[in-house]
Amino acid sequence: MNPSDPKIGVYVCHCGMNIAPKVDVEKVAGFAGTLNHVAVTRDYKFMCSNPGQEMIIADIKNHGLNRVVVASCSPRMHEPTFRKACQSAGINPHYFQMANIREHVSWVTQDSQQATIKAMDLVKGAVARVVNHRPLESREVKVEKVVLVVGGGIAGMQAAITAADAGYKIYLVEREPSIGGHMAKFDKTFPTLDCAACIMTPKMVVVDQHPGITIYTYSEVTGISGFVGNYTATIRKKPRYVIEDRCTGCGTCMEKCPSRKIPSEFNEGLGNRTAIYSPFPQAVPKTPVIDPDTCRVLALNKRCGACAKFCEADAIDFDQQSENIEISVGSVIVATGFQAFDPTPLASYGYGIYPEVYTSLAFERLNNATGPTAGAITMQDGRVPARVAIIHCVGSRDTRHHTYCSRVCCMYSMKFAHLIREKTGAEVWEFYIDVRSPGKLYEEFYNRVQEEGVHFVRGRVAEVTDIAEREADQGRLTVVAENTLTRKTMRLPVDMVILSVGLEPATGAKELSRLLNISMDGDGWFTELHAKLAPVATATGGIFLAGCCQGPKDIPDTVAQASAAAGEVIALLARGTVTTRAEISHIDPDLCSGCRLCLNTCIYSAITFDEGLNVAQVNEALCQGCGACSAICPSSSASVDHFTDRQVMDELEAIL
Amino acid sequence: MDDQHLLDQFFTHPDCRKVRSCIQCGTCSGSCPLAAEMDHAPRELFALIRDGEIDIALRSNTPWYCVSCYQCMDRCPQEIPVADIMYRLKQMAIAAGCQPRSHKLPDFYRAFADDMGRNGRMTETHVMARYSLKHPMDAAANMATALKLLARGRLDLIPNRTHHPAQIAALTTMCRKRGSDS
Amino acid sequence: MTVYAFFPGCAYQSAAGYRESVDALNARLDIQLQELDDWNCCGATAAFSLDEPDGLALCGRLFALAQKEGFSRIVTVCNACYTTLLKARKRMEKDPQKLAAVAHTLADQGLELADSLPDVRHYLDVLVADVSDVLEKAAADNGDTAGAVAVYYGCQYTRPWISGPDAQRPRMLERLFTKIGIHAVDHSAGTLCCGASHAVPYADACGPMIRRIVREIRNKGGGIITTICPMCQFNLDAGQTDRQTDPLPVTYFTQIIGLALGIAPKDLGLNKLLIPLRTEKKKAS
């Protein structure tokens, strides 16, 4: 095969009804035949199908083709397909070029004639480009069989256990003092009503005791560099002011701490905690943390030290500093979860104004055996409510806040209704826009709750007010809503209101997306590589998603996705090596002026500087072929394989 | 004008087009202080319009009962400008000559527009006088209050006027035409 | 001293002591409101209900008058005027064709409307934002006091112009009151609609709206209602005399602030209220 004597085959795809009705594919194929170096042209219904690929392979063999152009869809899906076909016919896979006449032409052009002209131009460009292609080879790089899991909720724990069971070393990083995440706050789970703690705490213990898992709680990932299989992550451990190795978790320090009136984050502000605290009894690790903002010693510089005085293990260390840990990992699973929507901006619902208006998360704590009332559903004054209203879609399906449906609120609202009926016998009124119960046994649960006498009103609540209609209801809250099925406006006096708040991305998600170089959608959820076919991968190699950080989901879906992410990681690392990109950057030492601009531009740290020769050099193992160095290089000494000036300029010239 | 034409006219208006994204949640009707008086409260009115029943919508008393308190607009989760759409429906109803089932408010607005058109400014006593020609009972109900106001020097018997009432009359031709047409 | 273009609106003239108390505050706080020469009615809800171009033209004329006198801001004292002007301004700003049409209509009448429309403000904004420092210093501890005041903002001051919690529960006037020694009560009826625009034709339907507001304020310990709009004041004041046995006096916020500044009740037009307000001398602290 002589590269200077190109012999090109051009294949125009109909893509069923996607391209052919708009683009005159026969005309495009005919036009291609008139171009220099083109030896074979064909059009076919589905080029990506087996017969389509066979056609290319046969032509390469029978006609001695050494270059191939396929005019079809976006290279994202099928470039690998056709490259493989070229390779199996014996030519270098990089002697291939794709012209996108579907997304760039037939789907976005109204006029058929214009579409055909544009398709011909793109084919002409691809032919001009492929002439200049050079054979490139990929390399195999060894991978670290270590996984970093960011987030210690149910998703992170499930992923960590699965991958650790497969024999990989796991680092699990959690920013709160304990692993467990949101699920640790729940009492029961829908629709089976199994106790969250009963199914959750055993998993926490497994994570804690697994020889393959190292947990860093009260820690955050602050840096990451490298590439798939070979990342270096920096973890910042915040000071706990308690030495983990010494602490026995006896709890004496918490009993003795005199700062006792700090609203408990874990109990959503409903109960208090001490300045030295462990968020909940089953916390993992058991080691408490000292809150530097409320501790008398750390915040007020007072001579308290009650915790230190009574600690038999001598574990208190007020001088502890934060610590940076660097680890090498082959893959990362992001499982940073969600946060609950803060309903304060929806002033009509009275949250923060009327004490008997609770968020769903606060109600989870109120109803929880380990919560502030030991699971008794009572109002602030200790009375049992006679009537409770549950308002759906708070912050969800609302263009002012979150346009999306949060998926879990209907179901947890009905779970609340069941638990309130069971525990207190109170009347429960659910105010909904649409009941969404699309899960296994979910519709059955809806029916069950209806049969239990729960009232369902189809209408979004207009307001919650303390203005009572009747003197007898003074002191209660009134829920105002149109029952859209009876067309009547209801003014329902209630004792307690639960706002079924939606899910939103956790704070810090944006920073993490920048750090890991993964993308977010308009709502702030991390974006998967492909909505259907790559639901847990990201666009960055070796980084996977699990749980709510990718979008609202319930526990079964979260656990399934976490297992899938672990599976992907295992598949990636099991082979021991990864194939790197063949298209990498080169710096021509004869042209390099030694300005070093490329050194800071490279986010993979793949460029080093040779002081002796006064030139920059590319480390081929680290280079990802992103092209940043080539773009910034003022002397044009840096170039990326497969995107050389010649290749790009010839393509452009041909199109224009 | 036929219904299809009126429907097209309605949906061409950028505010009204947003009715298409209504999720029928009822927040508007639940927020409306006079929903109970309306024959088809806003949510239902929008459902009717989307079903093509523009004729019912233009004859509905709903837009005329709208007090412009903007609660619906502040709360609508789809950010549909409900109150603004009510104004549009009132304008369309008047232009199409649809007499709403309750015509007291249109009469009140006409009395208002008429006084404004004549004097450039509005004088409450004059608006009341003009309105009570059609609805004497409403005026009678307000007599006691009027006497109290008179005692406190709060009734303007002499009309408020601009220097150039003709200028205002010229600016409000359509307003007054529509006021007297139907 | 800041000079503001002033659009008094039609209802201001006969409002119960509004003019007197605004004048008294202006004198005390050194605020100059320059009444727009030959102003016209803004058209309120009526004009916009009948014909939008006419409604815009009426407001456009007011903007043109203010521009002619070199003002970039118009101050109103009425929620209906405030909302109507603000609505016209936003409509014309959003759609240059509407602005051009209004300018064309006005040109026929010899008036010029420039593109940069004046800002629309409520007198409340002037007191809360521009002169609050002066106000705090002017607060007197020897004036008259009337007791626990409940602010009633009405619907159109906040909506649809402010979003978020302040649209439902504004607190700017309460904060100002507290600073100058007026006892402001917290209640939930501050922006409920009182039905003023419909009170004449639909008195029966609007009655419950007034009663709900008054009942809530009384339940929360309010002894006086204070309003920021002649429509609200009249509706709540007159609406109670007919239907309530134990009514609450309905004042203007300017009257209540005037009392706190030590201005005599008679200079604030308090004698014009339908439901009388009893004041007493503050005990010197």
Side-chain angles (χ1 to χ4, degrees):
Chain A
M1 222 177 326
N2 183 356
S4 60
D5 180 21
K7 213 171 170 194
I8 307 170
V10 178
Y11 301 86
V12 185
C13 182
H14 299 201
C15 196
M17 295 298 281
N18 280 300
I19 296 173
K22 189 58 69 66
V23 175
D24 185 341
V25 285
E26 282 174 32
K27 196 172 170 190
V28 176
F31 166 77
T34 67
L35 299 170
N36 266 350
H37 307 300
V38 175
V40 177
T41 65
R42 296 185 197 282
D43 63 273
Y44 186 65
K45 211 163 184 56
F46 287 108
M47 282 309 302
C48 61
S49 65
N50 260 334
Q53 295 180 52
E54 296 292 346
M55 191 189 290
I56 297 174
I57 294 167
D59 284 349
I60 293 173
K61 287 181 176 158
N62 299 337
H63 297 272
L65 300 180
N66 55 23
R67 304 282 198 286
V68 172
V69 168
V70 175
S72 57
C73 50
S74 153
R76 182 164 164 177
M77 195 74 194
H78 281 303
E79 191 177 57
T81 311
F82 297 121
R83 280 185 174 175
K84 226 164 124 195
C86 291
Q87 194 166 23
S88 64
I91 65 172
N92 187 283
H94 285 83
Y95 278 136
F96 168 76
Q97 180 62 18
M98 223 163 160
N100 184 355
I101 60 166
R102 190 178 71 180
E103 283 87 340
H104 289 180
V105 182
S106 66
W107 280 357
V108 293
T109 315
Q110 292 246 317
D111 181 70
S112 182
Q113 219 169 344
Q114 294 287 324
T116 305
I117 293 170
K118 187 175 174 188
M120 292 194 291
D121 285 343
L122 292 180
V123 167
K124 196 175 165 199
V127 168
R129 190 185 207 284
V130 83
V131 168
N132 295 312
H133 279 193
R134 294 283 168 267
L136 299 171
E137 299 298 336
S138 313
R139 287 155 303 117
E140 297 285 307
V141 175
K142 262 193 80 179
V143 297
E144 283 287 347
K145 296 201 168 190
V146 180
V147 186
L148 167 64
V149 178
V150 188
I154 185 63
M157 294 197 302
Q158 175 73 18
I161 294 169
T162 308
D165 281 348
Y168 297 94
K169 169 73 195 163
I170 313 292
Y171 289 100
L172 179 62
V173 178
E174 166 59 50
R175 67 177 167 193
E176 297 298 326
S178 168
I179 59 168
H182 279 104
M183 192 177 163
K185 296 185 177 184
F186 302 164
D187 183 66
K188 295 273 173 29
T189 53
F190 63 78
T192 43
L193 297 174
D194 27 9
C195 139
C198 308
I199 57 177
M200 173 97 180
T201 38
K203 283 225 183 263
M204 289 169 63
V205 172
V206 170
V207 171
D208 193 26
Q209 295 177 350
H210 203 296
I213 301 176
T214 302
I215 308 174
Y216 291 121
T217 52
Y218 216 45
S219 304
E220 288 182 65
V221 177
T222 54
I224 194 148
S225 60
F227 59 98
V228 50
N230 294 275
Y231 286 110
T232 304
T234 313
I235 295 158
R236 192 174 79 90
K237 271 188 85 176
K238 290 179 272 187
R240 271 184 123 88
Y241 304 105
V242 181
I243 300 162
E244 278 174 271
D245 299 341
R246 291 190 196 163
C247 173
T248 60
C250 71
T252 309
C253 52
M254 293 186 266
E255 281 167 30
K256 300 295 180 187
C257 178
S259 306
R260 311 195 71 82
K261 287 272 159 95
I262 303 143
S264 157
E265 296 85 355
F266 191 80
N267 282 331
E268 298 293 319
L270 288 180
N272 291 328
R273 62 162 171 85
T274 43
I276 182 165
Y277 71 103
S278 186
F280 57 105
Q282 306 94 325
V284 169
K286 286 176 297 197
T287 318
V289 295
I290 299 180
D291 172 9
D293 295 331
T294 51
C295 166
R296 294 183 180 208
V297 175
L298 293 168
L300 305 168
N301 216 5
K302 284 191 177 164
R303 278 197 304 188
C304 169
C307 50
K309 228 170 289 168
F310 289 94
C311 179
E312 287 182 7
D314 195 19
I316 307 293
D317 175 8
F318 288 114
D319 298 321
Q320 208 173 58
Q321 300 295 318
S322 71
E323 188 187 343
N324 284 328
I325 299 160
E326 215 167 75
I327 52 172
S328 296
V329 300
S331 181
V332 181
I333 294 175
V334 183
T336 48
F338 69 95
Q339 68 184 24
F341 171 76
D342 174 2
T344 313
L346 278 161
S348 311
Y349 290 168
Y351 179 71
I353 300 167
Y354 310 128
E356 290 307 324
V357 178
Y358 299 85
T359 65
S360 38
L361 217 46
F363 183 78
E364 288 283 2
R365 295 313 299 154
L366 190 65
N367 176 52
N368 196 296
T370 67
T373 58
I377 300 172
T378 52
M379 304 194 287
Q380 309 274 334
D381 62 7
R383 284 185 301 136
V384 174
R387 188 186 284 152
V388 181
I390 303 179
I391 304 179
H392 292 218
C393 301
V394 177
S396 310
R397 303 187 70 191
D398 183 338
T399 50
R400 284 189 177 82
H401 304 288
H402 300 305
T403 307
Y404 54 81
C405 161
S406 288
R407 289 189 67 197
V408 295
C409 321
C410 280
M411 290 307 297
Y412 76 58
S413 298
M414 292 193 277
K415 173 189 78 179
F416 290 166
H418 167 84
L419 294 170
I420 295 167
R421 298 284 301 145
E422 187 180 63
K423 282 189 175 179
T424 68
E427 255 183 49
V428 182
W429 292 70
E430 301 258 7
F431 291 86
Y432 68 95
I433 307 176
D434 299 293
V435 170
R436 294 184 171 173
S437 51
K440 197 168 169 180
L441 297 175
Y442 288 10
E443 187 69 8
E444 290 85 339
F445 187 74
Y446 175 23
N447 293 339
R448 169 183 174 177
V449 174
Q450 279 185 309
E451 280 161 22
E452 287 169 357
V454 174
H455 300 262
F456 284 83
V457 178
R458 194 202 171 278
R460 185 174 172 276
V461 168
E463 68 174 324
V464 176
T465 176
D466 60 347
I467 303 178
E469 285 304 287
R470 300 180 312 150
E471 213 42 54
D473 295 319
Q474 209 49 246
R476 301 175 88 186
L477 294 171
T478 297
V479 173
V480 187
E482 185 200 18
N483 183 332
T484 60
L485 302 179
T486 63
R487 305 163 65 243
K488 282 192 179 131
T489 298
M490 296 176 69
R491 291 184 166 270
L492 184 76
V494 301
D495 301 300
M496 183 184 275
V497 172
I498 302 169
L499 305 180
S500 295
V501 292
L503 276 51
E504 60 187 21
T507 47
K510 192 179 263 177
E511 291 74 12
L512 192 66
S513 83
R514 277 200 211 112
L515 207 63
L516 298 177
N517 194 23
I518 56 177
S519 54
M520 295 170 102
D521 63 22
D523 297 312
W525 305 108
F526 296 141
T527 320
E528 63 281 7
L529 182 61
H530 191 282
K532 282 120 194 160
L533 300 179
V536 298
T538 66
T540 305
I543 299 185
F544 300 92
L545 305 174
C548 285
C549 65
Q550 180 259 344
K553 46 183 75 66
D554 56 20
I555 296 170
D557 283 0
T558 295
V559 172
Q561 201 193 21
S563 305
E568 292 269 7
V569 165
I570 294 166
L572 174 73
L573 301 184
R575 218 159 40 119
T577 59
V578 287
T579 309
T580 65
R581 285 177 65 92
E583 306 95 329
I584 56 165
S585 177
H586 294 284
I587 295 174
D588 185 339
D590 295 337
L591 293 175
C592 177
S593 66
C595 74
R596 307 186 197 204
L597 275 175
C598 52
L599 265 77
N600 291 329
T601 306
C602 180
I603 59 167
Y604 302 101
S605 308
I607 302 180
T608 50
F609 194 76
D610 188 318
E611 298 282 352
L613 296 171
N614 195 37
V615 290
Q617 290 172 333
V618 177
N619 179 337
E620 295 187 359
L622 294 177
C623 177
Q624 295 299 297
C626 72
C629 55
S630 161
I632 203 163
C633 179
S635 65
S636 299
S637 59
S639 66
V640 193
D641 293 337
H642 214 58
F643 293 91
T644 63
D645 288 355
R646 179 87 194 274
Q647 288 163 351
V648 175
M649 294 315 287
D650 279 8
E651 181 181 16
L652 285 176
E653 226 163 81
I655 291 171
L656 298 172
Chain B
M1 256 185 282
D2 63 90
D3 282 9
Q4 190 54 50
H5 183 85
L6 289 167
L7 265 180
D8 292 345
Q9 200 187 346
F10 177 84
F11 281 114
T12 313
H13 196 275
D15 285 343
C16 302
R17 200 175 302 142
K18 292 189 182 158
V19 165
R20 292 215 169 103
S21 60
C22 171
I23 57 170
Q24 290 286 304
C25 69
T27 307
C28 48
S29 302
S31 297
C32 182
L34 288 181
E37 310 294 324
M38 296 171 172
D39 47 12
H40 308 286
R43 175 198 57 78
E44 195 182 321
L45 195 72
F46 293 163
L48 284 164
I49 293 172
R50 292 202 300 199
D51 285 355
E53 308 274 15
I54 189 79
D55 185 56
I56 296 179
L58 292 180
R59 285 173 204 287
S60 162
N61 67 16
T62 301
W64 300 100
Y65 267 110
C66 170
V67 281
S68 306
C69 74
Y70 295 100
Q71 280 287 25
C72 46
M73 251 166 93
D74 185 58
R75 294 172 177 169
C76 173
Q78 293 292 90
E79 293 177 87
I80 298 169
V82 183
D84 291 342
I85 293 170
M86 294 304 157
Y87 278 96
R88 185 75 197 130
L89 286 169
K90 283 185 275 190
Q91 293 159 8
M92 280 181 70
I94 285 189
C98 293
Q99 189 63 257
R101 257 187 263 165
S102 165
H103 57 283
K104 283 167 102 181
L105 202 76
D107 288 344
F108 189 69
Y109 284 165
R110 280 166 196 148
F112 189 104
D114 203 43
D115 189 37
M116 186 179 63
R118 256 171 236 272
N119 299 313
R121 292 180 193 171
M122 181 272 296
T123 313
E124 283 137 1
T125 45
H126 290 233
V127 176
M128 273 307 284
R130 215 171 293 275
Y131 173 75
S132 41
L133 291 177
K134 284 199 173 174
H135 304 280
M137 290 308 284
D138 288 350
N142 283 293
M143 275 318 281
T145 309
L147 288 173
K148 283 185 204 162
L149 291 171
L150 190 63
R152 285 165 179 77
R154 285 177 58 187
L155 274 196
D156 287 324
L157 298 174
I158 306 159
N160 294 321
R161 257 212 164 100
T162 59
H163 308 321
H164 309 292
Q167 201 172 60
I168 310 302
L171 293 181
T172 57
T173 38
M174 277 312 287
C175 225
R176 287 181 314 128
K177 185 169 171 290
R178 288 185 171 180
S180 54
D181 264 2
S182 31
Chain C
M1 184 202 291
T2 323
V3 187
Y4 300 89
F6 182 46
F7 172 56
C10 306
Y12 183 61
Q13 190 62 35
S14 55
Y18 206 1
R19 182 179 283 272
E20 292 88 332
S21 53
V22 168
D23 286 348
L25 287 191
N26 287 344
R28 178 64 63 91
L29 301 170
D30 215 11
I31 302 167
Q32 196 184 327
L33 297 185
Q34 186 179 316
E35 191 166 317
L36 281 178
D37 186 38
D38 197 37
W39 56 266
N40 54 272
C41 172
C42 67
T45 44
F48 271 100
S49 297
L50 298 170
D51 186 81
E52 184 178 289
D54 281 6
L56 292 176
L58 285 168
C59 297
R61 183 173 184 271
L62 293 168
F63 294 145
L65 293 179
Q67 286 173 345
K68 194 167 75 181
E69 292 170 44
F71 286 108
S72 59
R73 290 182 293 198
I74 297 180
V75 170
T76 67
V77 280
C78 160
N79 284 2
C81 300
Y82 175 76
T83 269
T84 306
L85 288 182
L86 212 49
K87 177 155 77 180
R89 184 178 188 268
K90 300 224 170 191
R91 294 258 150 139
M92 288 194 266
E93 272 183 344
K94 212 170 104 184
D95 187 348
Q97 281 184 332
K98 285 184 181 166
L99 179 71
V102 171
H104 186 75
T105 311
L106 291 172
D108 287 346
Q109 303 297 323
L111 284 163
E112 195 188 328
L113 183 66
D115 283 356
S116 56
L117 301 175
D119 203 6
V120 180
R121 303 181 79 201
H122 195 288
Y123 189 62
L124 167 64
D125 304 329
V126 175
L127 295 190
V128 168
D130 298 2
V131 300
S132 66
D133 291 351
V134 188
L135 239 177
E136 279 174 55
K137 283 193 202 107
D141 43 17
N142 60 349
D144 283 51
T145 173
V149 181
V151 181
Y152 176 72
Y153 292 90
C155 32
Q156 297 189 335
Y157 171 64
T158 58
R159 289 186 302 264
W161 317 116
I162 299 175
S163 61
D166 270 354
Q168 297 288 337
R169 281 188 169 249
R171 283 291 177 271
M172 53 284 262
L173 204 47
E174 282 89 340
R175 285 194 288 269
L176 179 71
F177 278 6
T178 309
K179 280 185 199 160
I180 59 174
I182 300 165
H183 174 39
V185 296
D186 196 31
H187 66 98
S188 303
T191 66
L192 293 187
C193 177
C194 70
S197 64
H198 284 46
V200 172
Y202 305 120
D204 290 345
C206 295
M209 294 159 74
I210 298 170
R211 284 197 288 278
R212 184 173 292 143
I213 293 164
V214 175
R215 197 176 59 224
E216 160 66 4
I217 288 173
R218 188 183 289 107
N219 277 334
K220 295 289 169 65
I224 308 154
I225 301 173
T226 200
T227 65
I228 64 167
C229 164
M231 299 298 186
C232 305
Q233 194 281 336
F234 177 76
N235 193 43
L236 290 178
D237 198 2
Q240 284 185 86
T241 50
D242 291 351
R243 301 181 187 93
Q244 298 268 165
T245 45
D246 183 19
L248 294 178
V250 185
T251 60
Y252 286 104
F253 72 118
T254 44
Q255 293 173 319
I256 296 297
I257 293 173
L259 287 176
L261 301 192
I263 300 171
K266 64 173 170 44
D267 296 335
L268 296 167
L270 282 164
N271 55 329
K272 290 193 170 180
L273 305 181
L274 296 177
I275 301 159
L277 171 75
R278 278 175 208 90
T279 60
E280 55 185 60
K281 276 280 168 222
K282 229 188 238 176
K283 289 176 195 109
S285 54

